[in-house]
Amino acid sequence: MNKLIGLILLLFLVAACKTPEARKPVSHSSGSYIDVSIARNKELNKADEAAIKELMAANPQYEYFTSNKGFWYYYNVKDTTALPTAETGDLVIFDYQINALDGTSIVTKNELGPQTYQIEQSNQDLISGLKDGLKLMKEGETVTFLLPSHKAFGYYGYEDKIGSNLPIQTRVTLNDIKQSNTEN
């Protein structure tokens, strides 16, 4: 009987010395949330683009330009002289207003007041479409930018005036460009 108890005890000791196996995860993440988000954003971008193209078709009196940054624009006042556009480090002074895509005023230039922005070097909270648009402008020009929601206020909107994921148009007048190489 002692031998039997010893043998059972020996078997338990051998089994106890076995290395533990790693547990399998309970849930598996497949990335489906990201896939759904990508699909939703693609649909939103298509809807924004369709709304903007419909607006452009309804207003053929303007000559529209397509930016390589994902928005459209037209000149209200175009400078025909050879003035330079703003470059990295230049300080620009401008006025702008924000309108709904249908032209309804949301925020006037008087409410916003004169703005200053140092091209690609300022932490000012400007929407990306406006930052990109200012680089296309010459001093004295007025341009209307048609911005899809991802180039405007995106998911967060603007205060209580612009809802989530809405395309806008903004009319910008570039008043002055102070070139960085002349500032000391």
Side-chain angles (χ1 to χ4, degrees):
M1 179 88 152
N2 277 343
K3 287 186 179 187
L4 183 60
I5 292 175
L7 184 60
I8 292 173
L9 194 58
L10 182 64
L11 286 174
F12 278 124
L13 285 174
V14 170
C17 292
K18 182 179 160 189
T19 58
E21 289 185 29
R23 294 184 296 165
K24 303 280 187 212
V26 175
S27 64
H28 299 281
S29 178
S30 65
S32 63
Y33 172 77
I34 292 172
D35 294 338
V36 169
S37 179
I38 289 170
R40 183 182 66 240
N41 286 335
K42 284 182 178 180
E43 289 301 314
L44 181 62
N45 289 342
K46 282 182 189 176
D48 286 355
E49 186 174 331
I52 290 171
K53 287 186 175 183
E54 184 178 317
L55 175 71
M56 292 188 306
N59 294 289
Q61 69 271 26
Y62 301 115
E63 181 182 1
Y64 294 96
F65 299 92
T66 303
S67 163
N68 61 1
K69 298 288 186 174
F71 59 89
W72 295 262
Y73 61 100
Y74 64 88
Y75 288 92
N76 301 91
V77 176
K78 185 171 179 151
D79 182 5
T80 56
T81 64
L83 289 176
T85 58
E87 296 182 10
T88 301
D90 291 350
L91 185 69
V92 294
I93 300 168
F94 64 98
D95 295 305
Y96 75 109
Q97 65 189 39
I98 302 169
N99 297 331
L101 207 52
D102 67 2
T104 306
S105 179
I106 297 173
V107 184
T108 67
K109 70 179 183 178
N110 291 335
E111 291 176 272
L112 293 166
Q115 303 284 312
T116 58
Y117 172 67
Q118 192 166 15
I119 302 292
E120 294 184 14
Q121 294 184 351
S122 179
N123 285 337
Q124 186 176 354
D125 281 338
L126 287 181
I127 55 177
S128 65
L130 189 53
K131 289 178 182 181
D132 294 332
L134 286 167
K135 292 186 268 184
L136 299 172
M137 297 177 70
K138 297 178 183 177
E139 191 175 308
E141 290 184 330
T142 300
V143 177
T144 298
F145 297 101
L146 307 174
L147 304 174
S149 60
H150 70 276
K151 296 301 280 182
F153 295 98
Y155 174 77
Y156 296 104
Y158 178 73
E159 296 177 358
D160 60 346
K161 299 181 180 196
I162 300 174
S164 179
N165 298 321
L166 292 176
I168 62 165
Q169 57 176 293
T170 181
R171 184 176 171 151
V172 181
T173 301
L174 183 56
N175 299 316
D176 193 18
I177 299 174
K178 296 183 184 211
Q179 296 184 343
S180 61
N181 59 1
T182 60
E183 294 179 10
N184 288 328

mmCIF file of all heavy atoms in Angstrom, residues 19 21 51 78 81 107 166:
data_model
loop_
_atom_site.group_PDB
_atom_site.id
_atom_site.type_symbol
_atom_site.label_atom_id
_atom_site.label_comp_id
_atom_site.label_asym_id
_atom_site.label_seq_id
_atom_site.Cartn_x
_atom_site.Cartn_y
_atom_site.Cartn_z
ATOM 1 N N THR A 19 5.234 22.534 -17.339
ATOM 2 C CA THR A 19 5.188 23.978 -17.537
ATOM 3 C C THR A 19 3.751 24.404 -17.840
ATOM 4 O O THR A 19 3.037 23.711 -18.555
ATOM 5 C CB THR A 19 6.102 24.422 -18.702
ATOM 6 O OG1 THR A 19 5.686 23.755 -19.879
ATOM 7 C CG2 THR A 19 7.547 24.121 -18.402
ATOM 8 N N GLU A 21 0.598 26.188 -19.503
ATOM 9 C CA GLU A 21 0.274 26.618 -20.862
ATOM 10 C C GLU A 21 -0.367 27.996 -20.808
ATOM 11 O O GLU A 21 -1.119 28.309 -19.897
ATOM 12 C CB GLU A 21 -0.703 25.624 -21.499
ATOM 13 C CG GLU A 21 -0.079 24.304 -21.833
ATOM 14 C CD GLU A 21 -1.057 23.399 -22.558
ATOM 15 O OE1 GLU A 21 -1.953 23.911 -23.254
ATOM 16 O OE2 GLU A 21 -0.908 22.179 -22.411
ATOM 17 N N ALA A 51 -22.764 67.185 -52.581
ATOM 18 C CA ALA A 51 -23.433 68.439 -52.234
ATOM 19 C C ALA A 51 -22.674 69.638 -52.809
ATOM 20 O O ALA A 51 -23.281 70.582 -53.324
ATOM 21 C CB ALA A 51 -23.565 68.565 -50.719
ATOM 22 N N LYS A 78 -9.783 88.724 -57.753
ATOM 23 C CA LYS A 78 -8.525 88.066 -58.113
ATOM 24 C C LYS A 78 -7.475 89.115 -58.431
ATOM 25 O O LYS A 78 -7.742 90.080 -59.128
ATOM 26 C CB LYS A 78 -8.728 87.142 -59.316
ATOM 27 C CG LYS A 78 -7.485 86.349 -59.653
ATOM 28 C CD LYS A 78 -7.763 85.288 -60.682
ATOM 29 C CE LYS A 78 -6.457 84.567 -60.956
ATOM 30 N NZ LYS A 78 -6.625 83.211 -61.355
ATOM 31 N N THR A 81 -1.873 90.931 -60.814
ATOM 32 C CA THR A 81 -0.455 91.296 -60.823
ATOM 33 C C THR A 81 0.370 90.108 -60.355
ATOM 34 O O THR A 81 -0.164 89.073 -59.965
ATOM 35 C CB THR A 81 -0.189 92.516 -59.914
ATOM 36 O OG1 THR A 81 -0.505 92.140 -58.561
ATOM 37 C CG2 THR A 81 -1.021 93.711 -60.324
ATOM 38 N N VAL A 107 -21.322 82.622 -39.223
ATOM 39 C CA VAL A 107 -20.504 83.507 -38.413
ATOM 40 C C VAL A 107 -19.987 84.610 -39.333
ATOM 41 O O VAL A 107 -19.354 84.316 -40.355
ATOM 42 C CB VAL A 107 -19.312 82.768 -37.754
ATOM 43 C CG1 VAL A 107 -18.542 83.698 -36.834
ATOM 44 C CG2 VAL A 107 -19.772 81.540 -36.986
ATOM 45 N N LEU A 166 -20.571 68.678 -41.264
ATOM 46 C CA LEU A 166 -21.268 69.485 -42.255
ATOM 47 C C LEU A 166 -20.271 70.242 -43.133
ATOM 48 O O LEU A 166 -19.350 70.881 -42.625
ATOM 49 C CB LEU A 166 -22.198 70.494 -41.570
ATOM 50 C CG LEU A 166 -23.391 69.899 -40.856
ATOM 51 C CD1 LEU A 166 -24.182 70.978 -40.128
ATOM 52 C CD2 LEU A 166 -24.298 69.170 -41.831
#
